[in-house]
Amino acid sequence: MLQVIDIDHADSSSVARYERLFDECPDACIQQSMDWCRAISSLGPDRPLFLLCTDGIEDLAGLPLYLFETATGNILTSVPQPGPFGGVFHRPGLTPDVIAEVYRLLLERAVEVADKHRCLTLSLITNPFIDDLDRYERYLAPDFILENFTQHVPLDRPTHRNHGHRNNVNRGRKAGFTVGFCKTEIELAEWYRIHEKRHREIGATPLEYRLFENLFHCLVPKGKAQLVLLKMNNQVVSGGFYVYHRRIMDVFMLSFDSAWEKLAPNFLNTDYSIDWAKGQGLTVYNWQSSAKKHCGVYEYKRQWGSIDRSYYFVTRMIGDRARLAALYADDLRRHYPWHYVVPFGVFETGFEQKRFQKGLVERRAA
């Protein structure tokens, strides 16, 4: 009979069981791993409350959960912090009936955990490369669903690039950049200054240095991340931070020094990382989401042969709705930094609309 186990993060054998299962799941995302948990542990702070589904002989599925506690109201989510992906993951080869049952048990237990900790909401993020929204709708019964999108390049098929695109890559090659992996914290810090500068130029908030530092120390030694650097005369010009597991690689952050823009350093960085990923046997080059479709960033990703994929933030109300309704979008940003709570559109629709799409308040769902 199937059962759900709460992972005790202080128990090494319990943690090892989760890690073994994760390593055996090619469709899982690195953000669902214990290594990711270790990397973000100092940032939330969030308390990890991971779940494992087992048949008593073999561990079948897992669900990472993080509890964020605040006087404004606790929340439970599958992955906090920037670049989140993935809710339930399961080992390959399970029958449809078993898959349905592990989703049911894990999602029902997640609701129990959220209720136990008096959370306002429980929010889980679906995997873009597994069509499993129907299972979340059936077993979680979410009050709100936010549709987001990502772009990805399938690496197991030929990629076609237009003439202008090839020119940009060739310009970077002819410029004389050297390309290689980041080896030291000095190089990491040099690239971070570029990331910080570039984000301020485009009016965005830079990510914390601690996040990249932790990812560098936790994931790179495990062969789960690389920071690809382009240099000119030993000066860092562009850097791409890539994280990956089994078949899926995420472009976690790509930043370049705008002083070198005419030489297209990011084109060369992307071209190098795609070829490297193919050589490692990865089959999905996942760009992650953009602010909106058809913006400059979206178009940059599209010209590499990217395909759009939808994924969803599914939210179950647990606590008093009036308490959450008293907040506004700005309050959520202030009280829950880098945490997803509900679609901002619920404040415009009086919590009556169920389905939302990123950047839009869609028509009311039936």
Side-chain angles (χ1 to χ4, degrees):
M1 188 171 79
L2 302 186
Q3 61 177 322
V4 173
I5 297 171
D6 297 329
I7 295 295
D8 179 357
H9 288 257
D11 175 22
S12 60
S13 63
S14 179
V15 169
R17 285 179 62 179
Y18 185 97
E19 290 185 310
R20 279 195 299 270
L21 171 66
F22 176 80
D23 286 341
E24 294 169 4
C25 296
D27 291 326
C29 302
I30 187 62
Q31 293 88 339
Q32 295 165 299
S33 69
M34 282 288 178
D35 288 322
W36 190 270
C37 177
R38 296 179 185 109
I40 68 172
S41 62
S42 65
L43 297 171
D46 299 278
R47 194 196 325 173
L49 301 170
F50 287 18
L51 304 178
L52 193 67
C53 186
T54 181
D55 63 6
I57 299 173
E58 187 175 45
D59 296 326
L60 305 180
L63 173 61
L65 294 172
Y66 292 84
L67 176 66
F68 183 71
E69 297 174 286
T70 173
T72 311
N74 299 342
I75 60 169
L76 191 67
T77 182
S78 55
V79 184
Q81 300 305 320
F85 270 116
V88 173
F89 66 92
H90 61 81
R91 68 168 57 255
L94 303 183
T95 67
D97 287 346
V98 171
I99 292 173
E101 186 65 2
V102 299
Y103 270 81
R104 182 183 72 81
L105 292 172
L106 286 168
L107 295 178
E108 288 180 356
R109 177 58 184 153
V111 173
E112 291 173 0
V113 173
D115 186 64
K116 173 185 175 182
H117 292 283
R118 300 183 299 279
C119 293
L120 289 178
T121 62
L122 164 64
S123 292
L124 306 178
I125 308 169
T126 71
N127 186 321
F129 309 107
I130 300 175
D131 295 320
D132 58 357
L133 177 62
D134 61 323
R135 299 186 190 116
Y136 288 92
E137 292 192 273
R138 185 180 308 129
Y139 302 122
L140 183 64
D143 294 283
F144 310 112
I145 299 174
L146 173 65
E147 180 181 353
N148 201 348
F149 69 91
T150 186
Q151 293 165 268
H152 78 284
V153 180
L155 300 181
D156 54 356
R157 66 182 75 168
T159 55
H160 301 285
R161 296 159 188 168
N162 61 33
H163 180 70
H165 183 279
R166 291 194 299 270
N167 280 345
N168 281 321
V169 174
N170 288 333
R171 192 184 316 143
R173 287 175 178 160
K174 292 175 181 177
F177 294 119
T178 59
V179 187
F181 295 142
C182 176
K183 300 296 184 185
T184 68
E185 281 195 37
I186 294 174
E187 291 180 321
L188 176 67
E190 186 178 353
W191 168 75
Y192 180 77
R193 288 192 290 272
I194 290 173
H195 162 73
E196 203 172 28
K197 173 191 171 187
R198 184 58 183 157
H199 267 55
R200 287 176 177 155
E201 286 174 347
I202 63 176
T205 302
L207 303 189
E208 283 191 57
Y209 178 72
R210 277 192 306 159
L211 175 59
F212 295 113
E213 185 180 35
N214 292 351
L215 292 174
F216 183 74
H217 287 297
C218 292
L219 299 187
V220 172
K222 297 284 188 73
K224 296 294 184 180
Q226 291 292 350
L227 173 56
V228 175
L229 298 177
L230 262 67
K231 293 183 179 181
M232 180 67 76
N233 300 324
N234 212 34
Q235 174 188 345
V236 175
V237 172
S238 165
F241 209 116
Y242 304 95
V243 297
Y244 48 91
H245 170 67
R246 294 292 296 267
R247 73 184 193 94
I248 301 171
M249 183 164 88
D250 288 352
V251 183
F252 189 72
M253 183 57 62
L254 180 63
S255 297
F256 74 100
D257 187 336
S258 56
W260 297 85
E261 184 171 7
K262 291 183 179 180
L263 296 180
N266 272 2
F267 276 88
L268 187 57
N269 200 313
T270 298
D271 190 69
Y272 179 92
S273 64
I274 286 177
D275 286 345
W276 181 85
K278 284 182 179 180
Q280 298 300 305
L282 294 153
T283 59
V284 176
Y285 187 91
N286 181 31
W287 285 105
Q288 297 205 345
S289 191
S290 303
K292 59 183 179 180
K293 292 191 176 183
H294 309 302
C295 65
V297 174
Y298 178 91
E299 291 300 325
Y300 175 81
K301 299 171 182 178
R302 184 187 60 79
Q303 63 186 292
W304 291 88
S306 299
I307 299 170
D308 286 14
R309 290 282 296 185
S310 293
Y311 65 103
Y312 304 87
F313 291 74
V314 292
T315 301
R316 170 87 171 258
M317 292 289 300
I318 304 294
D320 181 12
R321 178 172 295 195
R323 189 175 176 188
L324 184 58
L327 298 171
Y328 295 94
D330 288 342
D331 295 319
L332 294 186
R333 292 188 182 96
R334 185 170 66 255
H335 293 293
Y336 303 94
W338 300 116
H339 289 72
Y340 179 84
V341 184
V342 290
F344 289 155
V346 299
F347 298 105
E348 301 175 34
T349 60
F351 285 74
E352 295 299 321
Q353 182 172 315
K354 178 179 179 179
R355 289 182 177 268
F356 298 85
Q357 190 174 12
K358 184 174 183 177
L360 298 173
V361 178
E362 291 193 327
R363 63 180 178 81
R364 185 165 298 175

